Amino acid sequence: MPTLQFSYKEHIIPKYQSVMDDILEHKYTHYKLYGGRGSTKSSFISLAIPLILLSNPDVHVCVFRKVGNTLKSSVYGQVQWGIEECGLYEYFRFKVNPMEIIFKPTGQKIMFFGLDDAGKIKSIKLPFGYIGVTWFEEEDQFAGEAEIRKVLQSTMRGGDKFWDFRSFNPPISASNWANKDVLVDRDDTLCLKSCYLDVPKEWLGSAFFDEAEWLKEVNPRA
């Protein structure tokens, strides 16, 4: 098996340092990360995924967006970035038809689906192992917790350990289902909010901070 060629903690904001430890130790099943633009939540998850694969050779990954035609320009590219930052790019094969990324030493798959065609989930055939990791990006765009639960009823089977990641930008309305969902207390769930202020300024650049501070002045709710 390949070894990491960098210290991944250098690529993670301090707020997420202990979260990565929890993930690798499988302390929780559900990880709900939410915050505005520049909070690095999606980047963090894309780093966690290859690390989970390295230490769990029977685990595969499913990544979901609500609409399938957004996959290539968002989560697919984001996971590619995470793999490259881990120094593991040469160990993966990248395909777009079907859209999947394959860990060459073991054959583990990272698969990408839009839930506008949810029937595909039931027809997933794996060469071995089980789907141990799911990621629902832009969670608030899904119809609700019932839609996600229906997917998990198909994917969370056949294994001992599961990691379910959710990420989203909190909608303005406090009554939005995703905003309410992170307030539900479960022993197997970690909910963590972050924002651009948790991120080193040099990572995002001065222009990002200047625009965010301007928006805070003229439209605090946004």
Side-chain angles (χ1 to χ4, degrees), residues 25 31 34 60 68 144 151 168 194 199 217:
E25 295 169 9
Y31 292 85
Y34 59 109
H60 302 271
V151 174
F168 68 98
S194 59
V199 181
E217 289 293 327

Side-chain angles (χ1 to χ4, degrees), residues 42-94:
S42 298
S43 298
F44 172 75
I45 294 171
S46 72
L47 289 169
I49 286 174
L51 298 181
I52 292 171
L53 292 186
L54 279 178
S55 55
N56 298 273
D58 56 345
V59 160
H60 302 271
V61 181
C62 281
V63 181
F64 300 101
R65 287 289 305 266
K66 177 62 177 177
V67 180
N69 63 14
T70 63
L71 291 167
K72 188 175 181 181
S73 61
S74 60
V75 284
Y76 184 82
Q78 182 67 71
V79 173
Q80 278 187 303
W81 174 88
I83 290 169
E84 188 165 15
E85 290 301 301
C86 286
L88 297 170
Y89 198 86
E90 65 182 291
Y91 298 103
F92 285 83
R93 181 156 52 96
F94 301 87

Side-chain angles (χ1 to χ4, degrees), residues 117-134:
D117 189 4
K120 289 183 178 180
I121 311 305
K122 295 181 180 180
S123 62
I124 295 175
K125 295 294 187 292
L126 299 171
F128 63 92
Y130 66 101
I131 299 169
V133 180
T134 50

Side-chain angles (χ1 to χ4, degrees), residues 28-30 36 42 49 65 69 82 114 168 171-172 182 187-188 217:
Y28 299 97
T29 297
H30 305 283
S42 298
I49 286 174
R65 287 289 305 266
N69 63 14
F168 68 98
I172 288 179
V182 296
D187 291 340
D188 63 351
E217 289 293 327

Side-chain angles (χ1 to χ4, degrees), residues 163-184:
W163 294 261
D164 169 39
F165 295 105
R166 321 279 184 91
S167 54
F168 68 98
N169 296 341
I172 288 179
S173 172
S175 63
N176 180 277
W177 78 268
N179 285 334
K180 290 182 176 180
D181 184 55
V182 296
L183 300 178
V184 177

